[in-house]
Amino acid sequence: MLPSAVGDDHLAAVYQLKIHLLGISPQICRRVLVRGNTTLAELHHVFQVVMGWENWHLHRFKLWGKEYGISYAGGLSFADDARRVHLGDFPWQANDKFTYTYDFGGYWLHQVREEQVLSPTALSAHPFCVSGRRACPPEEVGGPDGYNQRTLDQFSWAYEAHDRLLAGEDIREDDMPTWFWTYRPEHFDKGLVNERLAKVYQLKGNPDFLYSQGGYDYFFAPSTGPNSY
């Protein structure tokens, strides 16, 4: 049900969504505010950024029994153009759910719950991450089962590496994934997420961005020119 301040304008309303990555415990989740006029093409990138994914793989939404997504050459095709379908086009009620799947090899399934419909004043500009728990899994770890095993491997390696360092050993040549050195499963930086969401909002409607794949480093790199700030 829409707040009285919104009337029947679903596109003007602000939706509070909870994104929960299934198959992993303790829970990895995010809570985000987005406006109803956000297209599903844009929502894909919002979810990628707020979760911490790198946009390397295909994706799919399933809302109200129908699949939606961005059609890429050699990938999935969809009946509807995700650039024309808005979050507010659907008759949401509190606690309604839909799914977002990313990487059909790893099969990262996200359950998304519409927690609240708020008035337009609840969001001043770009989508905003309200809260979150734990770090996004690294890419290419083999889905939830692979993640669970690899984080155990990381913990075991770090524990042993600490003792070896104290014994004076050189661990720099250890044969393990590079993310073993830096990945912190319990870490979540809401401030960084919101900085990146602000940049996504600046690219709203940019077809080069909407259809981009292969990481966000180019879009999120700090400016280095004379007008950088």
Side-chain angles (χ1 to χ4, degrees), residues 7-206:
D8 293 327
D9 192 348
H10 293 256
L11 298 184
V14 172
Y15 295 82
Q16 180 172 298
L17 306 177
K18 182 181 178 183
I19 310 163
H20 169 205
L21 183 56
L22 300 180
I24 294 176
S25 181
Q27 186 179 100
I28 298 174
C29 64
R30 307 287 186 264
R31 186 169 279 110
V32 62
L33 300 178
V34 294
R35 204 170 293 283
N37 64 1
T38 302
T39 68
L40 296 187
E42 293 161 352
L43 193 64
H44 157 66
H45 292 289
V46 170
F47 282 8
Q48 287 282 301
V49 172
V50 78
M51 288 300 298
W53 295 117
E54 294 290 340
N55 193 34
W56 289 355
H57 302 283
L58 300 175
H59 69 280
R60 176 180 61 216
F61 292 96
K62 190 169 184 179
L63 301 91
W64 297 85
K66 188 173 181 179
E67 294 181 352
Y68 300 87
I70 300 174
S71 299
Y72 296 101
L76 298 176
S77 61
F78 301 93
D80 295 279
D81 186 345
R83 298 171 300 173
R84 305 283 186 267
V85 182
H86 304 85
L87 182 64
D89 290 339
F90 301 89
W92 300 108
Q93 299 292 326
N95 295 315
D96 280 347
K97 298 175 183 177
F98 63 96
T99 60
Y100 170 75
T101 306
Y102 171 63
D103 181 3
F104 300 124
Y107 203 79
W108 298 105
L109 180 61
H110 307 68
Q111 182 186 84
V112 186
R113 180 158 59 93
E114 191 278 293
E115 294 186 317
Q116 296 185 71
V117 184
L118 306 170
S119 69
T121 57
L123 191 61
S124 59
H126 59 80
F128 184 80
C129 181
V130 177
S131 63
R133 292 185 59 196
R134 310 187 72 231
C136 183
E139 297 273 5
E140 310 295 353
V141 295
D145 290 340
Y147 169 83
N148 290 331
Q149 181 59 55
R150 295 300 271 162
T151 48
L152 285 175
D153 294 343
Q154 182 204 30
F155 178 82
S156 298
W157 171 81
Y159 184 83
E160 294 174 2
H162 178 264
D163 289 343
R164 290 165 54 206
L165 280 172
L166 292 178
E169 293 186 34
D170 186 351
I171 65 172
R172 289 175 294 180
E173 300 301 322
D174 282 8
D175 183 18
M176 78 296 178
T178 55
W179 60 265
F180 270 30
W181 293 92
T182 58
Y183 183 67
R184 293 179 289 165
E186 304 305 319
H187 179 72
F188 172 67
D189 189 339
K190 186 176 78 170
L192 178 61
V193 167
N194 281 316
E195 286 179 14
R196 292 186 164 191
L197 285 175
K199 290 191 176 183
V200 167
Y201 184 79
Q202 293 171 9
L203 296 162
K204 181 181 174 72
N206 179 335

